[in-house]
Amino acid sequence: MASLRVFVSSTYYDLHHVRNDLYTFIKDMGYEPVLHDKGGVSYTQETTLEESCYNELSTCDIVICIIGNKYGSESSSGNYSITMNELQKAIQLKKKVYTFIVKDVYIENQTYEKNVNSGHFAPAFADDIRIHEFISQIRGTVKNNPILSFESVNEIIDNLKIQLSGLFQHLLMQESSATESKTYYELLSISSEIKELTKSLSIQENDFYQKFESTIFTDNAILKRIRKFIGLESI
């Protein structure tokens, strides 16, 4: 059975310790961690390193996105960083996404939201205002995927344990429901087969008795003629 593949997306230099701990956690859970710095992304000569990361997302089941204080490497297309584009790609692919934002940036984003139209907001914790622009966009568009703050990697791991446990429980409930439904329809099918079999046996039974009665009637007529011929009619 193939392992669950978990893609970790984040800027590297400021969050490498978080990436290392998440790599170990995912491994210990028995899943396959996919991180470009750990050799988890397949590269080809025909594809750029950036595109290879985006392509690898399609083979993964879960995406963990970490947004820190740094903007990171500029994407070759669009107005966002590679990490931001990875998150957008994961959402487009309808992957299960868990987004974690370092707490000071997470709180500062609320201030940004209130002052975005003033034109005078300058972030103190994020090194690029586009981080706040992106977070606000994600908050407005992402549905059914949690966006949480964190101060330490242990908070991320503890939350992921809860989330993954919830996913597993939900899967078990779905399988249980599917099994009950399957059993119900199997019983209906068996009941229908029994009815058809009973009907068929009833028809065969009637046909048998009709043939049997006809045979008895024919034999009796012959016997009467024989009796009459040999003079045993009165016996």
Side-chain angles (χ1 to χ4, degrees):
M1 180 182 294
S3 298
L4 192 75
R5 305 193 80 222
V6 183
F7 190 100
V8 178
S9 173
S10 76
T11 51
Y12 175 73
Y13 292 105
D14 58 322
L15 294 172
H16 66 275
H17 63 291
V18 175
R19 296 172 64 85
N20 289 337
D21 288 347
L22 286 177
Y23 178 86
T24 302
F25 164 70
I26 295 167
K27 268 283 193 183
D28 291 343
M29 290 290 289
Y31 307 143
E32 180 183 351
V34 179
L35 294 80
H36 72 83
D37 51 304
K38 302 291 185 182
V41 176
S42 300
Y43 299 113
T44 65
Q45 292 180 332
E46 296 79 18
T47 309
T48 65
L49 300 182
E50 180 181 344
E51 285 298 323
S52 294
C53 289
Y54 300 151
N55 293 337
E56 198 70 35
L57 280 167
S58 64
T59 69
C60 297
D61 306 289
I62 291 174
V63 176
I64 301 172
C65 182
I66 315 296
I67 298 177
N69 306 89
K70 305 297 182 182
Y71 178 78
S73 301
E74 191 84 41
S75 171
S76 61
S77 61
N79 191 40
Y80 288 130
S81 67
I82 293 175
T83 298
M84 294 173 181
N85 281 348
E86 285 176 343
L87 178 55
Q88 288 183 319
K89 182 69 173 179
I91 294 170
Q92 291 171 5
L93 292 170
K94 294 180 170 39
K95 300 297 181 179
K96 188 63 180 176
V97 179
Y98 298 100
T99 304
F100 297 92
I101 304 172
V102 67
K103 191 171 184 178
D104 51 15
V105 174
Y106 184 92
I107 294 174
E108 186 175 64
N109 186 253
Q110 298 174 18
T111 305
Y112 165 80
E113 289 276 359
K114 294 180 179 179
N115 295 274
V116 62
N117 295 321
S118 67
H120 301 295
F121 179 80
F125 297 102
D127 72 345
D128 194 310
I129 197 170
R130 285 177 294 178
I131 294 177
H132 287 300
E133 292 173 356
F134 181 74
I135 292 173
S136 295
Q137 179 186 339
I138 293 300
R139 277 178 166 169
T141 58
V142 172
K143 305 297 180 185
N144 302 322
N145 288 318
I147 301 175
L148 304 170
S149 67
F150 75 96
E151 289 185 283
S152 70
V153 66
N154 287 333
E155 289 183 69
I156 297 176
I157 291 174
D158 289 342
N159 192 277
L160 285 174
K161 287 179 180 178
I162 295 172
Q163 295 294 334
L164 293 173
S165 177
L167 276 180
F168 183 63
Q169 184 181 43
H170 181 67
L171 176 62
L172 289 177
M173 291 176 64
Q174 282 187 322
E175 287 190 349
S176 176
S177 177
T179 301
E180 290 176 0
S181 177
K182 182 179 179 182
T183 302
Y184 171 74
Y185 286 112
E186 284 177 344
L187 288 174
L188 286 180
S189 177
I190 293 172
S191 176
S192 177
E193 289 177 6
I194 291 174
K195 288 181 181 179
E196 289 297 322
L197 180 60
T198 303
K199 182 179 178 181
S200 176
L201 289 174
S202 177
I203 293 173
Q204 292 179 24
E205 181 182 15
N206 291 335
D207 186 53
F208 170 77
Y209 280 120
Q210 288 177 3
K211 291 179 180 179
F212 179 78
E213 291 174 357
S214 175
T215 302
I216 294 299
F217 176 78
T218 302
D219 289 344
N220 286 343
I222 293 172
L223 287 173
K224 288 180 181 179
R225 293 179 63 184
I226 292 173
R227 287 173 179 273
K228 184 177 181 181
F229 179 77
I230 64 176
L232 298 175
E233 181 70 26
S234 60
I235 298 176

